Amino acid sequence: MENFKAPFRGISKDIRGRASCYKQDWFGGLCSGVGILAPTTYIFFASALPVIAFGEQLSRDTDGSLSTVETLASTAICGIIHSIFGGHPLLILGVAEPTVIMYTYLYNFAKGREDLGPKLFLAWAGWVCVWTALLLFVLAIFNACTIINRFTRIAGELFGMLIAVLFIQESIKGMVSEFKVPKAEDPNLEKFQFQWIYTNGLLGIIFSFGLLYTALKSRRARSWWYGTGWFRSFIADYGVPLMVVVWTALSFSVPSKVPSGVPRRLYSPLAWESTSLHHWTVIEDMGKVSSTYIFAAFIPAVMIAGLYFFDHSVASQMAQQKEFNLKNPSAYHYDIFLLGIMTLLCGLLGLPPSNGVLPQSPMHTKSLAVLKRQLLRRKMVESAKESIKQKASNSEIYGKMQAVFIEMDSSPDASGLSTTETTLVVKELEDLKEAVMKGENKGENSKEPFDPEKHIDAYLPVRVNEQRVSNLLQSFLVAASVFAMPAIKKIPTSVLWGYFAYMAIDSLPGNQFWERMLLLFITPGRRYKVLEGDHASFVETVPFKYIAIFTLFQFVYLLVCFGVTWIPIAGILFPLPFFLLISIRQHLLPKVFQPHYLQELDAAEYEEITGAPRLSLSLSFKGREMPRLGEEEGGIEMCDAEILDELTTSRGEVKVRTVSFSEDRRGQIHPKDGKEID
C-alpha cells in the first residue's frame, strides 16, 4: 500500500535514471557503425512478419475494417515513439495476438448493434482505447509495476501456451477456409468453381506445410553439420523470411490455365487508398457514439489494460534479464505511462494499439549481445596479439586484455567504472585470467599455450550494446513496409497459415509446462533418457508425483482459459483467469505443494542441468580414450550467435546452466543397468 501513497514516485525515478544515460543510448548505437545494421535487419524481419500475419487475421475477422496496413502503421508509429522516448529502448513493440483477439470481440459486439454496426466499430474501439489509456495512466502513477513479480512462471507459461494454441487454431481455421468461398465474394466467379476451390485448398496445404517444415529447419541452422559458420548464422537469422519469399515465388509456378486468384493471396487496401485513409479521421466519428456505449467501453478496457500491463511488463523483463548484465536502469512505471499515451494515440487514429512483444524483445537484446561480443573480442584479441609480439609475460598479456575490457565496458562520456564496478568486472574475468596465466603458473606442464583466437570465446562475459538506434531503424523499416503493400499482397494466405503454425511450434521448446507434459508420456523405464541430456533442474529435485499433479493443474487451467475464448461476447474476459491465478498461486498452491517443490516448479529462472551420458555400450571400445573429431587440430567452430543460442530458450529466456550429477546419484540416472535398451 505504501506505493499507492506516493504517486508519480516510480515514474519520476525512472525518468531520472534514464535521463542520465540518454545521451549514451544514441552515442553507443552511432559508434557501432555499420555493425548496427545486422541486429536492425534481424529484428525487423522478426517483427514485421508476425504483424503482417496478424493483419491478415484481423482483416478476415473484422470483415476488412482493419488490415495489414493498420497493423504495420501501428507497429511503426509506436516503435518510433518508444525508441526515442521509451524508458527501455531494447523493448520491441508490435501488434500482438491478444490485441487481435480483443479487437475481434469488439467487432463482433459492435456489428450486432444497430446503433453501432461496422461503421462505428472503430469509433467505439477508440473509446475503449481512451479508457484503456486512462487505466494505464493510473497503474503507472500509483506504482502498480511493483506487483509485476507476482506474475510468476506459471502465469507466463500458461499465457504463452494459450497463445500457441490460438495460433494453431488460427492456422487450422485458415487452411479450412482455403476450401471455401470467402465472404462478400461472388460464388459464380470461375476461381470459386468446385474444381478450382479444391485446387486452391490442396495448394494451400502444400504451401502451409512447406513453409512450416522449411521454417523450422532453417530456424535451427546453427546446429547443422554442414556449411560455414557465416552461412549457418545467415540461414538461422533470416531463413524464415527467406522461406516466405521462396514459397511465395513457388506459388507463381502454377500452370497458366489456372485462373487468377488460385492460390488465394493476401488482401489489403493500399496505404494511399480511401479505405485506409479514413482511419486518420476516426476521431470525428467518436462523437457519434452514444453515451451508453461510451461508458460500456470501460468493461473491455479493464481487460485490455490488465492484459497490456502484464504483457508489456513481462516482455520488458525478458529483454533485460539479469544474465544479460545490462548497465542502464529499468523504467517499468514510465514505460507503462508511455504505453498509455501510445494506446490513446492509436485509438484516436483508428489503429489497433501496439505493446511489448515476445520473443522479439529478448531476441533484440540477444542480437545486440552478439554485436557487443564481436566488438570486445576483436579489441581484446588485437591487444593480446600485440603483447605476444612484444614477448610480454602472461600476466602482462592478461593485464592489457583486462584494461581493454574495462575501457569498453564503461561509457565513453564517463570517467570510467567505479571501484565497485571494476571489482565485479575483475571477478567476471577470473576464468579468463586463469586460462591466460596457466602457462606461466604451470610452466611446461601446460598442454597448450593460450591462443587468444581460439580460447577467448569461452571466457568472455555477456555484454549488450545498449542503444536506441537499432530499434528506431527497424521501426522506420516497418513504416517503409506500409508502402511496400503491392509486394506484400503477393504472399499466398496459405503461407501465412503455415507461419501461424510455425510461431506456435517454435514457441514450445523452453516452455517448462510443455516439457512437463511430454514427461508425463514417458514410461518409468525410459525416464533416465531425460536425465542423460540437458534438462530442467526440477526433474531431479521434485518427485514425479508432484510434477504430474502440478502439470495436470496447469493443463486443466489452460482448458478453462481456452474455453473462455469461445464464449461469444464474454470471451473478452479471457485475461481474467490469469489475474485470478495470482491469488491461486499465492494462497492455494502453497497448501498443496511443499515450498521447495513449488519454488522449483515455478522458478523465476530457467535452471538447466547438463546431462550425464551413459558410457559407451560397445565392448570393442569400452574404456578407450579416443580423440574427438576436430579436437586434435583445435578445429571446433562455434560462432558467437550459436553460443548464445545454446544459452537461451525459444522465448528468449536465458538458461542458468549448472553442472551434471555427482557419482552418488548415478543410480537415479540409470535405475537398472541394461533395462529396456533399444
Side-chain angles (χ1 to χ4, degrees):
M1 290 296 294
E2 292 183 8
N3 294 311
F4 293 94
K5 296 178 182 178
F8 291 100
R9 184 175 66 182
I11 295 176
S12 59
K13 181 181 177 182
D14 290 345
I15 292 175
R16 288 194 303 271
R18 294 305 307 192
S20 62
C21 56
Y22 189 78
K23 179 181 176 182
Q24 171 56 23
D25 284 343
W26 293 106
F27 193 81
L30 296 173
C31 287
S32 301
V34 294
I36 202 67
L37 297 179
T40 296
T41 53
Y42 168 65
I43 206 62
F44 160 68
F45 286 116
S47 177
L49 268 180
V51 171
I52 292 170
F54 294 146
E56 175 63 18
Q57 182 184 353
L58 259 180
S59 178
R60 193 181 65 172
D61 293 343
T62 63
D63 298 328
S65 295
L66 292 167
S67 65
T68 303
V69 169
E70 286 74 41
T71 55
L72 285 171
S74 171
T75 301
I77 292 170
C78 294
I80 291 170
I81 292 174
H82 184 80
S83 61
I84 297 174
F85 302 106
H88 184 51
L90 302 186
L91 181 66
I92 299 297
L93 272 62
V95 175
E97 179 69 8
T99 299
V100 176
I101 296 170
M102 284 297 191
Y103 263 66
T104 300
Y105 286 127
L106 294 179
Y107 178 77
N108 290 334
F109 176 82
K111 75 175 182 179
R113 305 292 186 277
E114 290 184 4
D115 37 0
L116 281 179
K119 290 185 178 180
L120 289 180
F121 154 61
L122 290 176
W124 184 61
W127 282 111
V128 174
C129 289
V130 170
W131 284 114
T132 302
L134 291 175
L135 290 170
L136 290 173
F137 292 154
V138 171
L139 290 171
I141 290 169
F142 290 97
N143 314 303
C145 289
T146 54
I147 70 168
I148 193 62
N149 287 330
R150 296 186 182 181
F151 287 100
T152 56
R153 175 177 293 275
I154 185 176
E157 293 193 333
L158 261 175
F159 187 75
M161 185 63 75
L162 176 63
I163 297 301
V165 171
L166 292 174
F167 280 159
I168 291 292
Q169 174 183 267
E170 189 62 29
S171 178
I172 294 173
K173 286 167 60 178
M175 290 175 65
V176 171
S177 71
E178 297 292 327
F179 289 90
K180 298 179 180 179
V181 178
K183 294 179 183 178
E185 291 283 359
D186 183 4
N188 296 319
L189 293 176
E190 183 185 9
K191 63 181 178 180
F192 296 133
Q193 298 306 304
F194 173 78
Q195 66 272 24
W196 296 123
I197 281 282
Y198 194 70
T199 301
N200 181 77
L202 292 177
L203 287 173
I205 292 176
I206 294 172
F207 293 146
S208 295
F209 279 98
L211 185 281
L212 173 62
Y213 178 79
T214 53
L216 288 173
K217 284 293 184 182
S218 62
R219 180 73 174 84
R220 291 157 178 76
R222 286 196 181 93
S223 61
W224 289 357
W225 290 4
Y226 310 104
T228 63
W230 178 89
F231 175 77
R232 287 184 280 110
S233 290
F234 178 82
I235 296 298
D237 290 341
Y238 303 105
V240 177
L242 183 62
M243 291 304 108
V244 172
V245 172
V246 167
W247 286 100
T248 299
L250 286 174
S251 71
F252 286 97
S253 65
V254 295
S256 58
K257 293 182 179 180
V258 176
S260 176
V262 179
R264 204 170 294 161
R265 301 186 188 278
L266 186 149
Y267 171 77
S268 177
L270 300 177
W272 47 88
E273 293 178 349
S274 58
T275 311
S276 298
L277 293 176
H278 87 279
H279 284 277
W280 308 110
T281 59
V282 163
I283 190 172
E284 297 177 0
D285 296 330
M286 291 177 66
K288 300 177 183 178
V289 179
S290 67
S291 57
T292 302
Y293 289 113
I294 291 175
F295 287 105
F298 181 78
I299 297 174
V302 172
M303 294 294 105
I304 296 175
L307 190 63
Y308 281 2
F309 174 74
F310 166 71
D311 212 13
H312 196 76
S313 299
V314 169
S316 185
Q317 273 186 326
M318 295 288 286
Q320 46 190 333
Q321 299 168 66
K322 67 178 185 179
E323 287 80 12
F324 284 129
N325 294 318
L326 300 185
K327 300 294 183 182
N328 296 337
S330 60
Y332 292 105
H333 309 280
Y334 170 70
D335 274 351
I336 291 296
F337 188 84
L338 184 63
L339 177 63
I341 294 175
M342 292 185 291
T343 300
L344 178 62
L345 177 63
C346 287
L348 298 179
L349 295 177
L351 303 175
S354 295
N355 65 284
V357 289
L358 290 172
Q360 291 92 328
S361 296
M363 285 168 63
H364 184 215
T365 307
K366 188 175 74 170
S367 66
L368 294 170
V370 172
L371 175 62
K372 185 75 172 184
R373 187 184 184 92
Q374 291 169 344
L375 296 173
L376 284 168
R377 185 185 189 280
R378 185 169 67 247
K379 292 285 187 181
M380 293 177 72
V381 168
E382 287 176 0
S383 173
K385 284 185 173 180
E386 185 179 343
S387 298
I388 291 172
K389 284 182 180 179
Q390 297 173 356
K391 298 184 178 180
S393 64
N394 287 5
S395 56
E396 290 174 330
I397 294 173
Y398 170 73
K400 289 190 176 182
M401 292 174 71
Q402 177 183 285
V404 169
F405 186 91
I406 292 175
E407 180 185 357
M408 295 189 67
D409 202 32
S410 60
S411 302
D413 56 345
S415 57
L417 299 178
S418 65
T419 305
T420 304
E421 290 174 328
T422 302
T423 304
L424 291 174
V425 169
V426 171
K427 189 174 181 180
E428 285 183 292
L429 293 174
E430 278 294 329
D431 289 338
L432 176 61
K433 181 179 181 181
E434 183 179 343
V436 176
M437 301 293 289
K438 190 179 293 183
E440 187 170 287
N441 295 338
K442 296 184 179 181
E444 296 181 0
N445 293 329
S446 179
K447 293 182 179 179
E448 185 180 2
F450 178 77
D451 185 338
E453 287 281 3
K454 292 181 182 178
H455 301 143
I456 197 171
D457 285 326
Y459 305 107
L460 273 181
V462 175
R463 288 293 186 273
V464 174
N465 188 10
E466 300 178 60
Q467 42 72 47
R468 296 176 181 269
V469 176
S470 59
N471 201 346
L472 180 63
L473 291 179
Q474 74 89 21
S475 298
F476 278 131
L477 288 175
V478 174
S481 300
V482 175
F483 301 97
M485 283 307 302
I488 293 174
K489 290 172 67 173
K490 302 294 184 183
I491 301 175
T493 52
S494 53
V495 169
L496 294 182
W497 310 141
Y499 184 71
F500 272 109
Y502 160 75
M503 287 193 291
I505 295 173
D506 190 58
S507 69
L508 297 179
N511 187 318
Q512 290 189 356
F513 175 29
W514 170 254
E515 292 171 354
R516 280 187 271 104
M517 286 178 63
L518 296 180
L519 186 63
L520 297 183
F521 291 95
I522 301 176
T523 60
R526 304 293 289 174
R527 285 180 198 147
Y528 71 90
K529 290 285 187 181
V530 176
L531 299 172
E532 286 179 352
D534 296 342
H535 54 276
S537 60
F538 66 79
V539 176
E540 292 187 21
T541 56
V542 181
F544 182 79
K545 179 180 74 171
Y546 291 100
I547 295 176
I549 294 172
F550 190 81
T551 305
L552 290 174
F553 163 75
Q554 275 190 290
F555 181 71
V556 172
Y557 209 87
L558 173 65
L559 293 179
V560 171
C561 296
F562 181 64
V564 172
T565 65
W566 279 80
I567 303 175
I569 299 299
I572 201 167
L573 301 176
F574 85 93
L576 189 60
F578 293 98
F579 305 145
L580 294 176
L581 193 59
I582 297 177
S583 181
I584 293 173
R585 170 62 179 86
Q586 285 196 324
H587 303 293
L588 182 60
L589 292 183
K591 296 179 181 179
V592 179
F593 299 93
Q594 295 182 24
H596 175 68
Y597 295 162
L598 190 58
Q599 184 178 357
E600 286 289 329
L601 292 168
D602 194 28
E605 298 173 334
Y606 188 103
E607 185 174 351
E608 186 177 71
I609 294 178
T610 305
R614 288 178 72 94
L615 294 174
S616 172
L617 297 179
S618 170
L619 297 177
S620 302
F621 297 97
K622 190 173 182 179
R624 292 190 187 180
E625 284 288 336
M626 299 293 289
R628 296 180 183 177
L629 188 64
E631 285 189 355
E632 65 273 6
E633 299 176 359
I636 296 178
E637 178 189 13
M638 286 190 76
C639 60
D640 298 321
E642 187 174 0
I643 294 170
L644 287 171
D645 269 0
E646 289 287 324
L647 298 176
T648 53
T649 65
S650 292
R651 65 196 293 258
E653 190 174 10
V654 179
K655 301 175 183 177
V656 180
R657 184 167 289 179
T658 56
V659 295
S660 184
F661 309 86
S662 57
E663 284 297 318
D664 58 345
R665 302 189 68 179
R666 185 172 176 81
Q668 182 179 342
I669 306 174
H670 309 293
K672 293 182 181 179
D673 286 339
K675 182 176 180 179
E676 216 175 308
I677 295 176
D678 298 326

